[in-house]
Amino acid sequence: DDWREDAARRDFTMNALYMAFNGEVSDYTGGIADAQEGHVRFIGDADARIKEDYLRILRFFRFFAAYGKPPADEAALLACAKNAAGIERLSGERIQHEMFKLLASTHPYVALRLMDKASVLAEIFDGKKPDTLRFEKLQLAEDNLDERADVETRLALLM
């Protein structure tokens, strides 16, 4: 019943936008500006939001892969790195779901590089170092060929 209250519970400013039946958009968190600028930003304190649900770490990188523009939000990156070990609390299905969505985005390699820097990939891949360089080369080749590998191929190359 209260959009402002609902917005405060969302992960990111850009997914806390509401449209009335008449087309009027309500933005309580600065989500329109963030979406236009490609700024993926947590609502409230990033560290606290992540501790509510560690899946928000993966969602941050997925949103960045889909909508973000460098540089990434520093407070968000620091909070993701600080809480990366919390990923072990998530089910494999939840991790897979978010990773497949991230890998399906147009340019996931920038987000994967950030995930590697924040030690998030090490948590997902049980301490093994994924080959982000090989993955980035694939992405650049895809960009030049104007075609995209399927998610499973992208995951295999990363591993």
Side-chain angles (χ1 to χ4, degrees), residues 85-97:
I87 290 172
E88 73 180 16
R89 298 178 185 190
L90 302 174
S91 71
E93 292 82 8
R94 291 181 83 197
I95 293 170
Q96 176 189 354
H97 184 74

Side-chain angles (χ1 to χ4, degrees), residues 1-18 26 28-29 31 41-46 48-50 52-53 56 59 63:
D1 293 336
D2 185 340
W3 286 357
R4 186 178 303 275
E5 185 178 311
D6 188 68
R9 289 191 303 262
R10 299 286 168 187
D11 297 348
F12 312 110
T13 59
M14 65 174 59
N15 70 339
L17 300 171
Y18 301 87
S26 296
Y28 304 104
T29 64
R41 185 170 55 93
F42 280 95
I43 294 172
D45 179 63
R49 299 316 310 255
I50 288 170
E52 292 170 1
D53 184 356
R56 287 182 169 144
R59 287 179 49 81
F63 269 65

